[in-house]
Amino acid sequence: MSNRNGSQRRGLAIGCGGTVGMAWIVAALAAARDVLDWDPRTADVMIGTSAGAEALTMLGSGIGVDELVDMQLGKSTNPILADHLRAEPGRFPPLPRPRLLAPARAARELLGRPGNGHALLTAGSGLLPQGSGDPAWLERLAERLNPGRDWVPHPATWLVAMDNATGERVPFGAPSAPDAKLGAALRASWAVPGWFPPVEIAGRRFVDGGAASTASVDLLLPAGLDEVVVLAPMASSGRLPATGAGHFLERQLRNRMSEKLDAEIALLRANGVKVLRVDATAADLAVMGPNFMDGRRRLATFEHSLASTRRRIEQGEFA
C-alpha cells in the first residue's frame, strides 16, 4: 500500500514503550517500510518519545531498518548497535531515592483537571520517587553514532521530554525548543519516572515525555505535514480488558495513553492531516506481557510483531 505522491509531506511519530516496545517499534518500522514502499529515514519530520526517541536517534543518524532488524535478531555487524542491545536496562528499576519527583506539579494536575484521565497519569509521575537507574547506555549510543556532532544529521528529528516542574512537553530538536545536545535530549526523553533520574537541560529538569503523552503527535501541527505515520506500542484502539492481575496496572496506564492519543490524532485530522495509526493489539500484548522492560520477551515480541504490524498497515489507510 502506498498512496503518497512526491509533493506530500509525511511525518513519523513513534511512541514510548520500553525494551519490549522497542522490539515492537522495529517490527512496525519494517512493516511500514515494506508495505508503504517508504524508507522511514526520509520522513520530513520525525518525533519520538522515550523508546521512540531511541529509535529516531538511530534512524536520524542514518541507521536503516534492515540494520535495526538485525540488531533485534542479535545478528548486527555494527558494533555500536550490538553493544547497545546488550546494554539494555534490566526488568526492574534499582532502588529509587526517597525524594518525590514533583509533588507540587502533581497537586496542580489533580486539582486543575480532576476529570482528565491522562492528567492523573501525569500527576502520578510527580508522586514517584526519583529514579537511580544509569542511562549511560543512551549517552553512548548518541555519542558513538554522531561523534563530534551535537545532533543527528536528519534536519527535523524531535525528541520529546516533559518538564518535571510544569508538565510541559518539549520536543528537543524543534525550532521552538531550547538547545540541547543529543545525548541529554535522549536521556531526558527516556527518563522514566521512578526508574531514571531527571535530566537538566537549560536550567530545567526533564523526565520521560511519556508521562505527558505516549507519542505527542499533536506537536507536529506546526510542521505543515500532509500525513503522519504513528507507531504507538503503549496505546491500543478501543479499550482492552485486563486478562489477569499482572495486566491490571498496565491496562490502566494504556487506557489513559490511548485516550490522549485519540484526542491528538483527532486534532491533526481536524486540521487536514491524514493519519495512519498502528498500535498494539490484544494478540500483541499477550506476547509482550505486562512489564515493558522485560527483555526476556523482546525477541518473541519482535518476531510476532513483524507479522501483526504488517497486517495492520496492509488493512489500514491514511484517514
Side-chain angles (χ1 to χ4, degrees):
M1 178 187 76
S2 180
N3 57 358
R4 186 187 191 196
N5 62 52
S7 64
Q8 289 179 310
R9 285 173 50 79
R10 177 180 287 173
L12 173 64
I14 308 181
C16 58
T19 299
V20 180
M22 182 64 182
W24 184 98
I25 287 165
V26 173
L29 286 168
R33 187 268 314 272
D34 294 344
V35 178
L36 302 178
D37 189 23
W38 171 65
D39 186 339
R41 293 175 296 181
T42 67
D44 293 281
V45 183
M46 305 192 293
I47 189 168
T49 302
S50 201
E54 179 186 356
L56 291 192
T57 295
M58 291 183 269
L59 290 175
S61 300
I63 300 297
V65 171
D66 284 338
E67 292 180 271
L68 297 180
V69 168
D70 285 346
M71 179 183 73
Q72 288 297 321
L73 292 173
K75 301 191 307 183
S76 179
T77 58
N78 183 327
I80 300 173
L81 301 185
D83 290 349
H84 183 68
L85 186 70
R86 286 193 292 267
E88 65 187 19
R91 288 185 290 147
F92 303 108
L95 191 66
R97 297 164 187 161
R99 178 184 170 191
L100 296 182
L101 273 172
R105 169 173 57 76
R108 288 196 302 272
E109 289 283 348
L110 290 171
L111 293 173
R113 294 181 285 175
N116 183 318
H118 204 281
L120 294 175
L121 172 62
T122 306
S125 71
L127 296 174
L128 290 170
Q130 286 199 41
S132 59
D134 183 3
W137 100 104
L138 296 168
E139 187 78 36
R140 287 196 300 270
L141 177 72
E143 291 180 351
R144 293 179 70 189
L145 287 178
N146 298 277
R149 296 180 60 101
D150 287 342
W151 204 253
V152 298
H154 187 285
T157 300
W158 303 352
L159 311 184
V160 181
M162 186 185 81
D163 186 309
N164 191 44
T166 67
E168 176 192 359
R169 292 170 294 155
V170 174
F172 291 105
S176 61
D179 288 339
K181 291 190 175 181
L182 178 63
L186 177 57
R187 286 187 288 109
S189 188
W190 234 109
V192 179
W195 199 304
F196 295 105
V199 176
E200 185 167 328
I201 299 174
R204 300 159 68 182
R205 288 158 59 85
F206 291 91
V207 297
D208 191 325
S213 170
T214 190
S216 287
V217 299
D218 57 319
L219 298 185
L220 290 172
L221 265 178
L225 298 169
D226 299 296
E227 55 192 33
V228 177
V229 176
V230 178
L231 309 178
M234 283 298 294
S236 295
S237 299
R239 298 297 171 264
L240 302 181
T243 55
H247 281 91
F248 179 76
L249 290 177
E250 188 274 339
R251 291 297 190 272
Q252 299 304 306
L253 176 64
R254 175 171 299 277
N255 288 342
R256 284 163 173 76
M257 288 186 166
S258 299
E259 290 168 3
K260 185 72 163 60
L261 183 61
D262 292 345
E264 292 173 1
I265 289 177
L267 181 60
L268 259 65
R269 287 172 170 159
N271 282 271
V273 183
K274 295 182 178 181
V275 178
L276 175 61
R277 171 175 174 165
V278 186
D279 54 25
T281 65
D284 291 338
L285 296 175
V287 179
M288 297 165 90
N291 179 1
F292 267 48
M293 301 294 277
D294 188 351
R296 299 174 303 175
R297 291 177 177 261
R298 181 186 54 75
L299 184 58
T301 294
F302 173 71
E303 292 175 338
H304 169 85
S305 301
L306 281 172
S308 67
T309 56
R310 186 183 183 100
R311 286 194 298 270
R312 293 292 303 280
I313 297 174
E314 288 174 339
Q315 297 166 3
E317 60 181 12
F318 287 96

